[in-house]
């Protein structure tokens, strides 16, 4: 024990006291000067001022006790002075001591490299969505949006899917519950396509219209490698006087070349959509094999990419209820709709649609 270093006093004259207290004070000062850190300061406090085993307690017990009566007063004065000095040393050390956290390495080391912050980047779906809208914006199209929770009227009825029409079965969705007392056309559902925004747009402005509408859509479809119950579409609508099918062909042929490269060819296959007449599926020459035939295009040389057609007069008739200028005898138009995930998968060579939604930074980081 350090306290045993306190020697016994045998002489109590002034000179002996001076020497004894002087030496203790010197040791206290040396110990205090070497203190480094909170823990060391605490150890110093215990060693010198600890109530039971501290050196001052020891001195008081041994020296004062052993002193003859006539030396006690002088010794007491020196003892009190020493105590004031040691307490002062402790106080100074406490103020100066760096915290143990700092000693443990949390002090600022300006030679260390800084902490890198990840910069945000666009999600690949957002990127392609913007790319598609840009292609049409450059042709003078404006960009619109519509609600994801739609009424049966906008999602189906005004798009010429009458109640009970079999085409409704091709776009099953999630319907909001407890709406049985509402008329069918007012019941809410998650929109199955962006086409209802065609009607919302026409109701809010007279022709001419050139608009693209990107957005999220929902289908009651099981997820697999190429299907997801939630996905994205870009809708397009062009209405003016004398819009013809060749305008539709020219516009989409240009758009596909802008998106996939000028070597890409398009062809239009007869199809059916309730809201267009005639309707077509657009195929592009396979971007993987250049049209020679490969596994990706099932050896046909063509890949089906989007739906389109001339706006059905029945759709214009619904629009004309709010904006009389949509008179199918005076105006005409075309519409198209494409799946964003499908285009992104083709452009980036992605085979699992689920990767877009998994939030895996190793996947997403590749598009940053
Ligand atoms: N709404 C259709 C779908 O989700 C896609 C579509 C086809 C949109 C033809 C159109 C169109 O505007 O003219 O399957």
């Amino acid at each position: 024990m350090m306290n045993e270093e306190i020697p016994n006093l045998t002489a109590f004259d002034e000179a002996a006291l001076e020497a004894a207290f002087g030496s203790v004070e010197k040791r206290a000062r040396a110990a205090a000067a070497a203190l480094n850190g909170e823990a060391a300061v605490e150890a110093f406090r215990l060693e010198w001022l600890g109530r039971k085993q501290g050196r001052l307690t020891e001195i008081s017990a041994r020296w004062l006790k052993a002193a003859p009566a006539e030396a006690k007063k002088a010794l007491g004065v020196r003892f009190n002075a020493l105590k004031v000095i040691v307490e002062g040393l402790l106080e100074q050390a406490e103020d100066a001591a760096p915290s143990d956290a700092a000693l443990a390495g949390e002090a600022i080391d300006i030679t260390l490299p800084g902490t890198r912050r990840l910069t945000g980047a666009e999600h690949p779906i957002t990127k392609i969505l913007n790319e598609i809208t840009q292609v049409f914006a450059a042709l003078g199209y404006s960009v619109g949006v519509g609600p994801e929770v739609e009424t049966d009227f906008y999602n189906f009825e005004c798009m010429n899917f009458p109640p009970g029409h079999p085409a409704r079965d091709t776009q099953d969705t999630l319907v909001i519950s407890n709406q049985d007392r509402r008329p069918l056309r007012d019941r809410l559902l998650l929109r199955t396509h962006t086409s209802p925004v065609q009607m919302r747009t026409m109701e809010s402005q007279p022709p001419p219209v050139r608009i693209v509408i990107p957005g999220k859509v929902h289908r009651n479809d099981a997820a697999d490698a190429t299907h997801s119950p939630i996905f994205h579409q870009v809708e397009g609508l062009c209405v003016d006087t004398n819009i013809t099918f060749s305008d539709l062909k020219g516009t989409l042929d240009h758009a596909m070349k802008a998106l996939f490269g000028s070597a890409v060819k398009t062809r239009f296959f007869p199809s059916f959509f309730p809201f267009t007449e005639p309707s077509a599926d657009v195929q592009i020459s396979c971007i993987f094999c250049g049209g020679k035939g490969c596994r990706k295009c099932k050896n046909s040389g063509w890949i089906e990419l989007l739906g389109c057609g001339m706006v059905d007069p029945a759709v214009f008739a619904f629009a004309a209820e709010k904006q009389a200028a949509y008179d199918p005898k005076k105006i005409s138009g075309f519409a198209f709709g494409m799946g964003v995930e499908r285009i992104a998968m083709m452009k980036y060579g992605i085979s699992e649609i689920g990767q877009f939604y998994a939030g895996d930074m190793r996947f997403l980081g590749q598009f940053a």
Side-chain angles (χ1 to χ4, degrees):
M1 203 55 201
M2 297 290 270
N3 291 347
E4 279 144 29
E5 284 167 24
I6 300 296
N8 284 325
L9 264 195
T10 47
F12 295 91
D13 55 291
E14 275 296 312
L17 292 183
E18 174 74 24
F21 278 97
S23 126
V24 172
E25 182 186 329
K26 213 166 130 192
R27 273 168 52 202
R29 288 192 186 277
L35 292 178
N36 181 10
E38 281 172 355
V41 171
E42 176 60 9
F44 176 89
R45 189 187 67 76
L46 279 173
E47 195 175 314
W48 287 89
L49 298 164
R51 222 169 266 273
K52 284 197 177 137
Q53 300 190 320
R55 285 185 178 168
L56 292 193
T57 305
E58 187 79 12
I59 287 171
S60 138
R62 273 202 266 156
W63 294 1
L64 265 174
K65 213 199 279 166
E70 68 276 13
K72 278 202 197 300
K73 187 172 178 206
L75 203 142
V77 170
R78 285 185 184 272
F79 177 83
N80 287 336
L82 175 67
K83 195 173 174 203
V84 169
I85 289 170
V86 175
E87 283 170 350
L89 289 170
L90 176 68
E91 216 167 285
Q92 270 178 26
E94 280 171 346
D95 290 347
S99 74
D100 284 349
L103 285 173
E106 283 170 37
I108 293 171
D109 180 349
I110 58 165
T111 66
L112 288 172
T115 315
R116 228 174 244 279
R117 275 174 203 273
L118 286 179
T119 343
E122 274 175 344
H123 189 278
I125 293 298
T126 309
K127 250 177 126 118
I128 295 292
L129 212 138
N130 288 340
E131 237 177 83
I132 298 169
T133 49
Q134 277 307 307
V135 166
F136 289 95
L139 295 175
Y141 281 65
S142 55
V143 182
V145 287
E148 249 176 79
V149 177
E150 255 311 358
T151 60
D152 185 279
F153 175 77
Y154 283 107
N155 196 79
F156 291 125
E157 192 177 337
C158 72
M159 286 288 108
N160 205 25
F161 296 75
H165 193 283
R168 285 180 173 234
D169 297 346
T170 65
Q171 296 193 9
D172 189 15
T173 186
L174 294 171
V175 260
I176 312 292
S177 60
N178 295 326
Q179 301 187 97
D180 306 344
R181 278 155 58 216
R182 289 189 177 183
L184 178 66
R185 55 158 56 189
D186 294 337
R187 292 184 202 167
L188 297 170
L189 45 79
L190 300 184
R191 69 177 178 193
T192 58
H193 52 173
T194 41
S195 302
V197 195
Q198 289 186 28
M199 187 56 63
R200 290 187 174 276
T201 305
M202 290 190 281
E203 284 183 350
S204 66
Q205 64 182 89
V209 167
R210 282 171 182 76
I211 192 169
V212 274
I213 303 127
K216 195 183 285 175
V217 302
H218 305 252
R219 299 262 171 110
N220 182 13
D221 278 347
D224 64 20
T226 55
H227 293 84
S228 159
I230 304 176
F231 60 105
H232 299 79
Q233 290 186 332
V234 175
E235 189 80 16
L237 176 69
C238 167
V239 183
D240 208 334
T241 47
N242 299 319
I243 298 292
T244 67
F245 198 90
S246 58
D247 294 316
L248 168 60
K249 279 189 83 172
T251 302
L252 291 182
D253 184 72
H254 165 81
M256 293 303 115
K257 285 179 163 64
L259 287 172
F260 293 101
S262 54
V264 154
K265 293 194 199 75
T266 53
R267 66 179 190 181
F268 291 69
F269 254 59
S271 184
F272 173 78
F273 298 102
F275 39 90
T276 45
E277 182 61 34
S279 302
D281 283 328
V282 183
Q283 303 179 350
I284 64 169
S285 54
C286 180
I287 58 166
F288 302 103
C289 64
K292 284 199 266 316
C294 67
R295 212 167 51 87
K296 300 258 189 191
C297 59
K298 299 192 183 95
N299 276 316
S300 70
W302 295 91
I303 291 180
E304 195 173 300
L305 212 54
L306 70 152
C308 65
M310 301 306 292
V311 177
D312 195 295
V315 173
F316 281 139
F318 277 105
E321 288 176 17
K322 295 248 168 84
Q323 293 276 355
Y326 288 98
D327 177 351
K329 288 193 200 72
K330 293 186 181 135
I331 47 95
S332 57
F334 63 77
F336 55 87
M338 57 188 97
V340 179
E341 277 79 352
R342 191 165 154 67
I343 292 176
M345 287 169 84
M346 280 189 59
K347 282 195 70 152
Y348 292 132
I350 295 163
S351 50
E352 285 280 336
I353 197 171
Q355 301 231 256
F356 288 127
Y357 321 114
D360 184 338
M361 293 295 281
R362 294 167 303 179
F363 171 79
L364 298 174
Q366 297 176 71
F367 306 94

